[in-house]
Structures are given as C-alpha cells and as structure tokens.
Amino acid sequence: MPLIQIMRLGVLASTGWLALAALLWQRHGFLWAFLAVLIWVALLRLFQQAVLAHAKSLAGKTP
C-alpha cells in the first residue's frame, strides 16, 4: 500500500475519533470524551510509529 494512502486513512480515522469525542461530550460529559481523546492519542502514536517503520522499509528498498 502506498505511504500516502496510509497517511490519508490515518487522517480519516483521526477525524472519526475526534467526532466521537465531541459526541461523547454532548451526551455523556467530559470524562467519557477525555477517555476517547486519550485512546485516540495512544492509537495516533502507534499509527505514527507504523508509518515511520513503513517509510523506512520503503527507503531501504530503493537501489
């Protein structure tokens, strides 16, 4: 999968998590929204590490 496509999917997923946090804030309050944001931050960190590893592997394939 091309790196740019992976990054686009990450942005789309991030938007969904932030929308979820906004809905949780409206329906259930700050604590649930804060929990969703914490989970989003953890997943974003994992995603960034995966993208970096993928980019390094692509760079290693270049002659």
Side-chain angles (χ1 to χ4, degrees):
M1 180 177 283
L3 186 60
I4 192 73
Q5 187 176 2
I6 293 171
M7 293 175 73
R8 285 180 185 155
L9 290 173
V11 169
L12 181 63
S14 289
T15 305
W17 274 96
L18 292 177
L20 172 68
L23 289 173
L24 283 171
W25 188 323
Q26 288 178 350
R27 299 284 182 182
H28 301 289
F30 172 76
L31 290 177
W32 285 106
F34 185 68
L35 178 62
V37 169
L38 286 179
I39 293 170
W40 169 68
V41 167
L43 290 174
L44 187 62
R45 182 158 169 81
L46 289 173
F47 175 74
Q48 288 174 340
Q49 290 172 350
V51 167
L52 183 62
H54 185 65
K56 286 180 180 178
S57 73
L58 289 176
K61 292 179 183 178
T62 307

